[in-house]
Amino acid sequence: MDYNSIRKTFLDYFESHGHKIVPSASLIPNDPTLLFTVAGMVPWKGILQGSEPAFAPRVADVQKCIRAGGKHNDLDEVGYDGRHHTFFEMMGNWSFGDYFKQGAIEMSWDLLTRVIGLDPNRIVITTHISDDDAANIWKKVSGKDTIKLGDKENWWSAGDTGPCGPCTEMHYIVDENNPDPDSRMVEIWNDVFMQFDRDANGNLTPLPKQNVDTGAGLERWAAILQGVRDNYDTDLFRNIILATQEVVGVKKNDENTPSFKVIADHLRAVGFAIADGVIPSNTDRGYVIRRILRRAMRHGQMLGHRGALLSKLYPVLIREMGDAYPELAAAEKRVVEIIQNEENSFADMLQNGMKLLDAELPKINNGVLSGDVAFKLFDTYGFPLDLTQMILRDKNISVDTDGFDRAMAAQKERSRADTKGTRTLWESQTQLHATDDVYKYAPDENMDSRVLAILRDGEFVQNASVGDVVEIALDKTNFYGTQGGQVGDMGEILRNGETVMTVTEAARANNIVIHKGTLTADVAVGDTVRTKINATVRQQTARAHTATHLLQAALQHVLNDDVAQRGSKVSPDSVRFDFTFGRPMTDDEKTAVEKLVNDWIAADMPVSHEEMPIEAARKRGAMALFGEKYGDVVRVITAGDASCELCGGTHVYHTGEIIKAKINKEKSISSGVRRITMSVGTLAE
Ligand SMILES: [Zn+2]
């Protein structure tokens, strides 16, 4: 039975038993304490704890889950056995105050033995020592005695207090003669009976509404039903591994199998997470996904492959899983673009970082890589700590993580001290040419630039070396340096096609664009280089900026024409907008503003970017900002018939590119001035 048939069989069974079938919830949970949806129950937590009403008494679904990062972490195990995954699918049926132990046990047994035809003699059942009800029901339903275990194995609770109860697990004997119980049996289903409320003194009171929460791992079912021991030998993974062989041009063998498994697993985690709106970044879940993606690239490299890998395999993921998860195909263009971007920016760093690491290896004599080297790999080459650890694991070398933490803390301290002084240092360079940055409006333009100045550790230098944290001024650039409330671009500086600097921020001092970041090669004043912005971040910022204009127009429509901008901060996919208005907005007003902005987005109006003399712009009625100085020639950004503003920022070309806008907060910041924070794009979705 293949994956698609198992999912269908499971859902069909519960639908015919009165369950409402719902699609998987997002991998981004509605729960700030979790990075990802880590189990099938996560979306139903509110209902199970009684804080949200149940929308149906019986529900069944197949939930996408990720366990990587934070306390739920299987990342390091993936690839080295047949059972670990960072991404997996959890099938589950739920009773919200409807059936309880009898119903749950009957259906589990019926589905396992009659419907999918597992051998009843190979099924082993455990129950909690206190739960005679469940043991008696099992005896009646299956004729079997259960194995009675303690709290560790068969008791579930969400925390020290609150809902809790016994559970019953079904295991399947896959390798009868294996003396190791973990290899002999596989857990295939867990039915949790949420029976009690536990108070602070440990007293158990029966819950007024008793719930059932079950979870069955789809990958394990597939392995059993397809008669294989290793989840990665099932149809879904076999097909992904076949496609990977094509892309890397190497066949799977005993030695390189872990790499193929890691790539197949990581393709699912990265692909599904980005399709659900995660954007690789340096924090939180964005960093988990970036780490997973970089690990996959390292395994591609071990197979002799260079450059893009997961972006090439994503269509295979759609082919294999797109029927069950239509969101994969719907987001294809965006996901591939984001992955490509990540892969492009890491490809050179991976090669160069490996060179550094190879040079360091002979110097290690106690089996421990120094924290400073690990930090240099992290800071200069973008190697997450766990990637370095993964690379060294095969060589039995560990990393001095305390030393790594110390180096990180020292770096933070340095950069805190740095940011204070550098603007004045740049402003003192009066002989320096203003940066020609018209190319910020033509980010794909390939032109040669010259390095004019390099600032390192508070001093202007002629040369700087790989690993140095520097600020660089060029004669020309495509980078948008922070200005007018819009944050600057990120990206790279290249020389002869090779990255020489990763730019984490483009700032401005007077008319000079300052590229801040870390060198990945030696650079000297006078070098000829090219600039390459991070297109994903640029697009996220552009849609936030155009959305800011729409927000201002919508506020004027809904509130009054006197609403005026007092300040703004436009970041990737997020907007902070300050405006004059004398009282809090009502909920109706907020809804109306948000709706108007989204109507304009849905109308996909063209956005024109024009340069014209300021008089012409005034005649057209373009809105200018209070207190802002404008030159003789100005840029006018016009979004359909909704908005026309003088603005030097970067914008989208159609309002539809904004995708969606969502107002998060509206509050007072000073007398007569209100602040709205808004998300756009995939973040708002
Ligand atoms: Zn603007």
Side-chain angles (χ1 to χ4, degrees):
M1 204 185 264
D2 62 22
Y3 274 85
N4 289 323
S5 311
I6 299 171
R7 276 190 215 97
K8 186 168 176 345
T9 304
F10 186 90
L11 295 175
D12 284 353
Y13 179 84
F14 284 103
E15 187 167 37
S16 72
H17 287 76
H19 290 66
K20 184 176 170 57
I21 306 304
V22 296
S24 171
S26 169
L27 281 165
I28 303 177
N30 206 352
D31 177 343
T33 64
L34 290 173
L35 285 177
F36 294 101
T37 298
V38 290
M41 64 87 64
V42 170
W44 313 126
K45 216 165 157 183
I47 300 176
L48 294 168
Q49 297 186 339
S51 60
E52 277 171 39
F55 56 93
R58 300 175 173 207
V59 171
D61 65 1
V62 181
Q63 175 63 46
K64 306 175 273 194
C65 301
I66 286 183
R67 287 190 190 170
K71 57 184 177 214
H72 305 277
N73 197 348
D74 286 343
L75 194 50
D76 282 329
E77 307 300 327
V78 172
Y80 297 93
D81 67 12
R83 288 194 201 163
H84 280 93
H85 304 274
T86 56
F87 173 94
F88 57 94
E89 295 172 84
M90 192 60 94
M91 304 181 287
N93 58 294
W94 316 85
S95 159
F96 301 129
D98 190 37
Y99 59 83
F100 201 46
K101 293 178 189 176
Q102 178 87 26
I105 290 171
E106 277 174 0
M107 286 187 279
S108 292
W109 185 251
D110 186 40
L111 177 56
L112 288 178
T113 56
R114 185 182 61 80
V115 181
I116 65 168
L118 292 187
D119 178 358
N121 295 319
R122 285 177 166 255
I123 298 175
V124 174
I125 297 150
T126 66
T127 50
H128 190 256
I129 31 167
S130 70
D131 195 2
D132 292 337
D133 292 351
N136 291 335
I137 294 168
W138 272 117
K139 184 78 183 171
K140 264 185 257 155
V141 169
S142 69
K144 278 179 181 281
D145 292 319
T146 65
I147 298 172
K148 296 179 179 180
L149 299 171
D151 287 0
K152 189 169 162 278
E153 292 85 8
N154 284 64
W155 188 266
W156 178 90
S157 67
D160 292 340
T161 60
C164 58
C167 64
T168 177
E169 288 182 353
M170 289 142 264
H171 299 255
Y172 194 71
I173 299 172
V174 290
D175 186 6
E176 216 153 355
N177 300 318
N178 200 314
D180 169 23
D182 283 338
S183 304
R184 188 163 65 238
M185 292 189 295
V186 178
E187 183 203 321
I188 51 173
W189 209 340
N190 185 2
D191 291 359
V192 177
F193 305 121
M194 297 189 186
Q195 191 168 358
F196 303 106
D197 186 53
R198 186 179 358 225
D199 68 19
N201 297 322
N203 301 316
L204 297 176
T205 324
L207 286 163
K209 265 195 149 189
Q210 298 179 320
N211 300 315
V212 176
D213 150 12
T214 89
L218 177 56
E219 292 78 9
R220 294 174 180 187
W221 282 37
I224 289 167
L225 292 170
Q226 295 176 26
V228 295
R229 293 277 166 78
D230 187 319
N231 295 354
Y232 291 88
D233 287 333
T234 55
D235 62 306
L236 171 60
F237 287 98
R238 253 194 346 257
N239 292 338
I240 294 176
I241 288 171
L242 281 174
T244 309
Q245 291 187 155
E246 296 265 305
V247 171
V248 301
V250 172
K251 290 251 179 284
K252 186 172 84 132
N253 58 39
D254 285 350
E255 220 160 89
N256 65 22
T257 293
S259 291
F260 280 100
K261 287 180 176 179
V262 168
I263 291 166
D265 173 86
H266 289 9
L267 170 67
R268 301 212 304 166
V270 169
F272 272 94
I274 297 178
D276 271 358
V278 177
I279 293 167
S281 71
N282 279 335
T283 51
D284 299 331
R285 62 176 71 91
Y287 193 53
V288 175
I289 295 306
R290 174 168 284 170
R291 274 162 50 206
I292 295 178
L293 191 147
R294 291 183 175 182
R295 290 168 77 106
M297 284 184 77
R298 162 62 184 159
H299 278 278
Q301 187 194 41
M302 286 162 73
L303 295 171
H305 183 72
R306 295 280 180 272
L309 177 60
L310 297 189
S311 54
K312 291 185 179 160
L313 288 170
Y314 186 73
V316 180
L317 186 65
I318 296 179
R319 189 187 75 202
E320 293 302 315
M321 301 186 74
D323 283 346
Y325 301 96
E327 63 269 32
L328 290 177
E332 179 171 9
K333 194 166 160 278
R334 179 174 56 84
V335 176
V336 169
E337 206 176 275
I338 291 174
I339 299 179
Q340 265 171 356
N341 219 298
E342 281 289 300
E343 292 183 326
N344 289 343
S345 62
F346 188 56
D348 286 343
M349 293 202 280
L350 178 59
Q351 306 303 333
N352 294 335
M354 286 307 297
K355 276 184 220 154
L356 171 71
L357 191 55
D358 286 340
E360 290 292 331
L361 285 181
K363 301 179 199 162
I364 297 173
N365 48 25
N366 55 353
V368 183
L369 181 77
S370 84
D372 286 338
V373 175
F375 181 72
K376 188 166 186 187
L377 284 167
F378 166 81
D379 192 43
T380 311
Y381 301 100
F383 279 39
L385 179 60
D386 69 292
L387 177 68
T388 304
Q389 288 170 319
M390 180 189 91
I391 293 166
L392 296 176
R393 174 172 155 157
D394 296 337
K395 302 181 167 67
N396 283 319
I397 296 170
S398 62
V399 177
D400 172 13
T401 53
D402 289 343
F404 177 88
D405 292 343
R406 275 195 305 276
M408 173 88 96
Q411 154 85 321
K412 280 204 176 120
E413 194 44 52
R414 266 199 310 277
S415 71
R416 206 172 303 140
D418 280 355
T419 43
K420 276 186 218 150
T422 65
R423 176 180 290 270
T424 25
L425 287 170
W426 282 105
E427 283 169 356
S428 70
Q429 298 292 298
T430 46
Q431 85 295 350
L432 203 60
H433 276 282
T435 314
D436 180 2
D437 69 342
V438 295
Y439 302 96
K440 69 190 174 206
Y441 299 126
D444 297 329
E445 177 91 16
N446 271 320
M447 75 291 176
D448 286 336
S449 304
R450 219 157 49 83
V451 176
L452 296 186
I454 305 171
L455 180 66
R456 186 189 59 198
D457 290 336
E459 268 181 290
F460 286 95
V461 292
Q462 290 300 307
N463 304 284
S465 319
V466 56
D468 287 351
V469 177
V470 295
E471 299 183 4
I472 285 188
L474 306 170
D475 61 343
K476 305 189 218 36
T477 188
N478 318 94
F479 279 77
Y480 183 92
T482 302
Q483 196 179 25
Q486 179 182 327
V487 304
D489 278 317
M490 299 167 64
E492 294 161 74
I493 294 178
L494 301 105
R495 186 175 51 207
N496 302 325
E498 210 181 315
T499 309
V500 295
M501 177 174 178
T502 47
V503 179
T504 50
E505 187 199 347
R508 274 185 89 95
N510 292 337
N511 45 19
I512 301 164
V513 176
I514 308 162
H515 305 80
K516 299 183 176 183
T518 308
L519 294 183
T520 55
D522 298 351
V523 169
V525 170
D527 280 359
T528 301
V529 294
R530 288 194 168 186
T531 53
K532 185 176 159 209
I533 61 160
N534 181 321
T536 308
V537 172
R538 165 65 74 92
Q539 172 69 0
Q540 289 163 353
T541 311
R543 62 194 181 204
H545 200 149
T546 309
T548 310
H549 289 202
L550 297 182
L551 174 64
Q552 162 142 274
L555 286 167
Q556 291 174 338
H557 267 269
V558 172
L559 302 177
N560 63 57
D561 283 343
D562 300 335
V563 166
Q565 176 169 341
R566 271 293 172 271
S568 69
K569 183 166 187 208
V570 176
S571 314
D573 275 352
S574 76
V575 172
R576 200 180 73 200
F577 186 76
D578 300 341
F579 60 103
T580 51
F581 193 57
R583 60 167 172 82
M585 287 170 71
T586 64
D587 286 345
D588 285 348
E589 286 166 344
K590 278 183 259 182
T591 310
V593 167
E594 189 178 89
K595 182 175 181 308
L596 191 50
V597 172
N598 280 301
D599 288 348
W600 285 331
I601 293 169
D604 198 20
M605 302 181 297
V607 179
S608 70
H609 308 194
E610 294 167 280
E611 281 188 354
M612 59 180 81
I614 187 144
E615 298 79 31
R618 289 241 162 82
K619 228 172 261 169
R620 194 190 276 200
M623 191 162 42
L625 294 185
F626 174 82
E628 191 85 6
K629 280 206 237 29
Y630 295 96
D632 296 338
V633 174
V634 292
R635 281 177 74 80
V636 178
I637 305 298
T638 312
D641 55 5
S643 150
C644 181
E645 251 187 77
L646 297 187
C647 177
T650 58
H651 288 269
V652 298
Y653 290 85
H654 278 267
T655 54
E657 291 172 61
I658 303 168
I659 305 172
K660 198 179 166 183
K662 188 169 174 292
I663 293 180
N664 301 319
K665 227 188 242 161
E666 189 266 347
K667 63 169 189 180
S668 164
I669 54 164
S670 66
S671 165
V673 182
R674 314 285 308 170
R675 169 171 291 174
I676 282 181
T677 50
M678 185 168 83
S679 311
V680 303
T682 45
L683 194 64
E685 279 184 310

